[in-house]
Amino acid sequence: MSTLRARMMATAILFNGNDMLMMKRSPKRTLSPGMWASVGGHLEPEEINDPKTAMLREIYEETGLSPEELENLHLQYILIRQNQQEIRQQFIYTATAKRREVIQTEEGELHWIPKEKVLDREIPFIFHSLLEHYFTYGPSPSIWVGTAGFDAEGQPAVHWTELVDPQKR
């Protein structure tokens, strides 16, 4: 019997005007080398119950943007998927950056991309599906949960559900 492991991550989709900050990942990265993604990373053990703190740390480490330089930081998505023997849970935040100047790190190159050109890039499937959903339904006061699976034709798909608190109905 094989053991499933869990990995928790936090990602930030940052905007400034009509542009979204994207990282062209270094070809040396283990996860999605050479592809386009957003800033983010793994939760440290002390952050397991606090993905927002992890996200703010990742934003600062990868962009140089401090929490004071962000507006409307909001947990918008939670993605759950299986990758071989690992269950990955990813918390995706959206925010507006008050400035465009960002640092560069060994993670990859940061670029501000016009929203209408973001999906033209080589993006991992699950993140592409998330961005399609976000660009279609826009910012939402609700959190959306996406689970990776297959559609009726057997093609990879993300299934979206709005997260609700049944106690509030």
Side-chain angles (χ1 to χ4, degrees), residues 114-125:
K115 277 196 262 187
E116 61 273 6
K117 296 188 177 193
V118 165
L119 295 176
D120 297 338
R121 311 235 174 259
E122 187 178 0
I123 302 171
F125 160 75

Side-chain angles (χ1 to χ4, degrees), residues 4-46:
L4 286 175
R5 300 194 41 91
R7 181 181 302 241
M8 296 176 73
M9 300 170 283
T11 301
I13 301 173
L14 301 176
F15 296 98
N16 182 279
N18 191 46
D19 297 337
M20 183 179 135
L21 186 62
M22 295 193 76
M23 178 183 287
K24 172 81 167 152
R25 294 182 57 80
S26 166
K28 297 176 185 174
R29 300 302 301 170
T30 304
L31 186 63
S32 305
M35 296 185 88
W36 290 85
S38 287
V39 298
H42 302 95
L43 275 64
E44 299 296 335
E46 67 276 8

Side-chain angles (χ1 to χ4, degrees), residues 59-125:
I59 291 171
Y60 184 73
E61 287 176 1
E62 294 183 10
T63 70
L65 293 166
S66 67
E68 298 77 27
E69 296 173 302
L70 302 171
E71 294 179 318
N72 306 316
L73 183 67
H74 172 67
L75 177 59
Q76 188 68 82
Y77 291 97
I78 300 171
L79 278 175
I80 301 172
R81 67 186 186 276
Q82 184 171 348
N83 186 332
Q84 298 176 23
Q85 294 307 113
E86 190 172 75
I87 302 294
R88 295 184 178 180
Q89 183 173 349
Q90 190 170 10
F91 298 89
I92 297 97
Y93 290 81
T94 57
T96 301
K98 294 181 184 179
R99 67 176 168 95
R100 295 177 71 85
E101 300 78 29
V102 292
I103 63 171
Q104 296 294 333
T105 69
E106 293 181 4
E107 300 270 340
E109 296 177 14
L110 293 171
H111 301 273
W112 290 100
I113 309 294
K115 277 196 262 187
E116 61 273 6
K117 296 188 177 193
V118 165
L119 295 176
D120 297 338
R121 311 235 174 259
E122 187 178 0
I123 302 171
F125 160 75

